Amino acid sequence: MTVPHTDVRTDPGSFRDPANRVFYADGEVLRGLDARAARDWRALSASDFFPPLLAAGKVCGTEAVEPARFAAAAGAQWAAVLRHERIPFVSHPYEWSFGMLRDAALLHLEILRAALTAGFTTKDGSAYNLQWRGVEPVFIDVGSFEPARDGEPWAGYRQFCQTMLYPLLLTAHLGVDFQPWLRAQVDGIPPEQMRRLFTGVRRLLPGVPTHVHLHSAMQQRNADAASGEVREQLRGAGFSRDLALAAVRRIERLVRRLRPRHVRSHWADYQRTCSYSAADRAAKERFVELALTAAGPPGLVLDLGANDGRYARLAARYAGYVVAVEQDPAVVDEVYAALRADEQRRVLPLVMDLADPSPGGGWRGVERAAFATRARADLVLALAVVHHLAIGRNVPLTQVVDQLADACLPGGRLVVEFVHPEDPMARRLLANKPAGLFPDYRPDEFARLLAARCRVERRVELPGGTRTLYQAVVGG
């Protein structure tokens, strides 16, 4: 007799589709399916199109396991249970760059096109159905596949527009960063909001007439109609799977042509314009490399304030996985493109303001986990970031130290660079602040605060004399 696991934790973001739920047990990522979803899974796994997607890594690794091992809610039994590969680090679309969101959208459309050709479709079109292995997107919502029915439109079209196409149009056509818009609305940008942004000659920009204005008009026209009525109308008008496939191909061509209208930031040239000498840079790289190898290879490294990804790449030589966080979307896009060209699968670049990191979001604030909840690392790199938070953003120095220490797992290592007040980069920030506003921003005070939270193992002053590097064990 199989005894079901009792230590089962349901994913708080997996509740919108009652036919299948993601949960965790014994460190495994699992998906419970009801009877209908189980039938769809059996058909999917026996299809010609799905196994090649699995083999190519475009869909997350999935296999069936014994359902009796895992009890469903209220002691019921799942009709089937699937085990998925574990994604190295879960991120959200509002943490991605333009290129990342576009490539994720293109993968989603590629998978949908293959599914429609084989007589299947996807119930959803959400950007949250994709994750990353480094800079390789992967589709994770296996429970979204179901047999297609003639005369029915793609059920995920609205989600796709709101969470992928519309954000891309914002940045491509208006030069507006989409990340704050997606972060503010877990379901994405509604067509009614987009319609108000694209008026006048903007109405004629690529993709806008059909996917914004026509979509918005159709939503309003059918607002009071039941979904069954709409489907019957489409069948009567001769809507077919071939037409749906042609529509997907048109969207795919549109997305592929979109390019970001980024305003070039001074951070894009930071390595060239910052105050490091060649000797400083060489000493800094030696220090970081020694920290990465001090206690065996770290599993997860966070590079906070990664800029052009120089040290994230260095960390990837030794770490299992690196999450490289940078505030500027244009810089992250450049890093992503470079990593993608190198087929780097161990560095994930993300757009993040460390003074305003991603909070919990969605239903009850837990549907999308906060960055601080997801990001606890074996080793944290905080290189040339403290002065930006303490001076640039007026965060008390003690709280900056707490934030960096809290990003480490207990016993994890923190590698932090303190930029002295007399350093040219710190002086540039101080020039825009009232005199005497930061009396505690001093090397001795930073060293004291760091020692209160960590055991300092190494301390090196760079040859230029205005920057100090620390390697510390958190909680040591």
Side-chain angles (χ1 to χ4, degrees), residues 368-380:
R368 308 299 173 206
F371 182 70
T373 302
R374 291 172 279 140
R376 301 293 302 282
D378 302 291
L379 189 146
V380 172

PDB file of all heavy atoms in Angstrom, residues 368-380:
ATOM      1  N   ARG A 368       2.868  36.215  -6.652  1.00  0.00           N
ATOM      2  CA  ARG A 368       4.196  36.435  -7.205  1.00  0.00           C
ATOM      3  C   ARG A 368       5.128  36.777  -6.043  1.00  0.00           C
ATOM      4  O   ARG A 368       4.990  37.813  -5.407  1.00  0.00           O
ATOM      5  CB  ARG A 368       4.196  37.579  -8.235  1.00  0.00           C
ATOM      6  CG  ARG A 368       3.146  37.429  -9.327  1.00  0.00           C
ATOM      7  CD  ARG A 368       3.344  36.185 -10.154  1.00  0.00           C
ATOM      8  NE  ARG A 368       2.239  35.975 -11.076  1.00  0.00           N
ATOM      9  CZ  ARG A 368       1.882  34.791 -11.556  1.00  0.00           C
ATOM     10  NH1 ARG A 368       2.539  33.706 -11.175  1.00  0.00           N
ATOM     11  NH2 ARG A 368       0.876  34.674 -12.390  1.00  0.00           N
ATOM     12  N   ALA A 369       6.051  35.892  -5.741  1.00  0.00           N
ATOM     13  CA  ALA A 369       6.891  36.052  -4.554  1.00  0.00           C
ATOM     14  C   ALA A 369       7.826  37.251  -4.691  1.00  0.00           C
ATOM     15  O   ALA A 369       8.330  37.555  -5.776  1.00  0.00           O
ATOM     16  CB  ALA A 369       7.714  34.783  -4.329  1.00  0.00           C
ATOM     17  N   ALA A 370       8.057  37.923  -3.581  1.00  0.00           N
ATOM     18  CA  ALA A 370       8.973  39.064  -3.547  1.00  0.00           C
ATOM     19  C   ALA A 370      10.383  38.605  -3.864  1.00  0.00           C
ATOM     20  O   ALA A 370      10.774  37.460  -3.620  1.00  0.00           O
ATOM     21  CB  ALA A 370       8.929  39.725  -2.170  1.00  0.00           C
ATOM     22  N   PHE A 371      11.183  39.532  -4.390  1.00  0.00           N
ATOM     23  CA  PHE A 371      12.573  39.203  -4.717  1.00  0.00           C
ATOM     24  C   PHE A 371      13.332  38.769  -3.470  1.00  0.00           C
ATOM     25  O   PHE A 371      14.109  37.811  -3.511  1.00  0.00           O
ATOM     26  CB  PHE A 371      13.261  40.411  -5.359  1.00  0.00           C
ATOM     27  CG  PHE A 371      14.678  40.146  -5.769  1.00  0.00           C
ATOM     28  CD1 PHE A 371      14.961  39.315  -6.832  1.00  0.00           C
ATOM     29  CD2 PHE A 371      15.731  40.737  -5.084  1.00  0.00           C
ATOM     30  CE1 PHE A 371      16.269  39.061  -7.216  1.00  0.00           C
ATOM     31  CE2 PHE A 371      17.041  40.495  -5.452  1.00  0.00           C
ATOM     32  CZ  PHE A 371      17.314  39.656  -6.525  1.00  0.00           C
ATOM     33  N   ALA A 372      13.104  39.440  -2.343  1.00  0.00           N
ATOM     34  CA  ALA A 372      13.807  39.087  -1.111  1.00  0.00           C
ATOM     35  C   ALA A 372      13.486  37.666  -0.662  1.00  0.00           C
ATOM     36  O   ALA A 372      14.309  37.009  -0.020  1.00  0.00           O
ATOM     37  CB  ALA A 372      13.459  40.082  -0.012  1.00  0.00           C
ATOM     38  N   THR A 373      12.292  37.179  -0.993  1.00  0.00           N
ATOM     39  CA  THR A 373      11.903  35.805  -0.642  1.00  0.00           C
ATOM     40  C   THR A 373      12.605  34.801  -1.531  1.00  0.00           C
ATOM     41  O   THR A 373      13.014  33.725  -1.086  1.00  0.00           O
ATOM     42  CB  THR A 373      10.378  35.639  -0.775  1.00  0.00           C
ATOM     43  OG1 THR A 373       9.728  36.592   0.064  1.00  0.00           O
ATOM     44  CG2 THR A 373       9.942  34.233  -0.396  1.00  0.00           C
ATOM     45  N   ARG A 374      12.763  35.144  -2.807  1.00  0.00           N
ATOM     46  CA  ARG A 374      13.374  34.220  -3.774  1.00  0.00           C
ATOM     47  C   ARG A 374      14.891  34.237  -3.722  1.00  0.00           C
ATOM     48  O   ARG A 374      15.537  33.232  -4.028  1.00  0.00           O
ATOM     49  CB  ARG A 374      12.926  34.602  -5.193  1.00  0.00           C
ATOM     50  CG  ARG A 374      11.465  34.352  -5.494  1.00  0.00           C
ATOM     51  CD  ARG A 374      11.085  34.935  -6.848  1.00  0.00           C
ATOM     52  NE  ARG A 374      10.822  36.369  -6.776  1.00  0.00           N
ATOM     53  CZ  ARG A 374      11.184  37.249  -7.680  1.00  0.00           C
ATOM     54  NH1 ARG A 374      11.890  36.865  -8.742  1.00  0.00           N
ATOM     55  NH2 ARG A 374      10.884  38.524  -7.553  1.00  0.00           N
ATOM     56  N   ALA A 375      15.456  35.392  -3.379  1.00  0.00           N
ATOM     57  CA  ALA A 375      16.885  35.613  -3.574  1.00  0.00           C
ATOM     58  C   ALA A 375      17.655  35.487  -2.267  1.00  0.00           C
ATOM     59  O   ALA A 375      17.962  36.483  -1.610  1.00  0.00           O
ATOM     60  CB  ALA A 375      17.115  36.990  -4.197  1.00  0.00           C
ATOM     61  N   ARG A 376      17.976  34.274  -1.869  1.00  0.00           N
ATOM     62  CA  ARG A 376      18.879  34.018  -0.746  1.00  0.00           C
ATOM     63  C   ARG A 376      20.011  33.186  -1.314  1.00  0.00           C
ATOM     64  O   ARG A 376      19.810  32.074  -1.787  1.00  0.00           O
ATOM     65  CB  ARG A 376      18.171  33.272   0.391  1.00  0.00           C
ATOM     66  CG  ARG A 376      16.973  33.999   0.974  1.00  0.00           C
ATOM     67  CD  ARG A 376      17.356  35.269   1.703  1.00  0.00           C
ATOM     68  NE  ARG A 376      18.307  35.036   2.793  1.00  0.00           N
ATOM     69  CZ  ARG A 376      17.984  34.540   3.988  1.00  0.00           C
ATOM     70  NH1 ARG A 376      16.722  34.195   4.260  1.00  0.00           N
ATOM     71  NH2 ARG A 376      18.898  34.390   4.923  1.00  0.00           N
ATOM     72  N   ALA A 377      21.225  33.716  -1.271  1.00  0.00           N
ATOM     73  CA  ALA A 377      22.325  33.137  -2.037  1.00  0.00           C
ATOM     74  C   ALA A 377      23.454  32.626  -1.138  1.00  0.00           C
ATOM     75  O   ALA A 377      23.601  33.042   0.010  1.00  0.00           O
ATOM     76  CB  ALA A 377      22.883  34.174  -3.015  1.00  0.00           C
ATOM     77  N   ASP A 378      24.267  31.745  -1.716  1.00  0.00           N
ATOM     78  CA  ASP A 378      25.462  31.268  -1.029  1.00  0.00           C
ATOM     79  C   ASP A 378      26.543  32.340  -1.006  1.00  0.00           C
ATOM     80  O   ASP A 378      27.360  32.387  -0.087  1.00  0.00           O
ATOM     81  CB  ASP A 378      26.004  30.015  -1.733  1.00  0.00           C
ATOM     82  CG  ASP A 378      24.972  28.912  -1.772  1.00  0.00           C
ATOM     83  OD1 ASP A 378      24.652  28.364  -0.708  1.00  0.00           O
ATOM     84  OD2 ASP A 378      24.475  28.601  -2.872  1.00  0.00           O
ATOM     85  N   LEU A 379      26.537  33.181  -2.056  1.00  0.00           N
ATOM     86  CA  LEU A 379      27.514  34.258  -2.121  1.00  0.00           C
ATOM     87  C   LEU A 379      26.866  35.463  -2.792  1.00  0.00           C
ATOM     88  O   LEU A 379      26.208  35.324  -3.823  1.00  0.00           O
ATOM     89  CB  LEU A 379      28.766  33.824  -2.892  1.00  0.00           C
ATOM     90  CG  LEU A 379      29.969  34.779  -2.856  1.00  0.00           C
ATOM     91  CD1 LEU A 379      31.274  33.996  -2.871  1.00  0.00           C
ATOM     92  CD2 LEU A 379      29.951  35.748  -4.039  1.00  0.00           C
ATOM     93  N   VAL A 380      27.047  36.637  -2.193  1.00  0.00           N
ATOM     94  CA  VAL A 380      26.493  37.879  -2.736  1.00  0.00           C
ATOM     95  C   VAL A 380      27.632  38.817  -3.093  1.00  0.00           C
ATOM     96  O   VAL A 380      28.512  39.083  -2.264  1.00  0.00           O
ATOM     97  CB  VAL A 380      25.551  38.563  -1.722  1.00  0.00           C
ATOM     98  CG1 VAL A 380      25.137  39.951  -2.220  1.00  0.00           C
ATOM     99  CG2 VAL A 380      24.310  37.706  -1.489  1.00  0.00           C
TER     100      VAL A 380
END
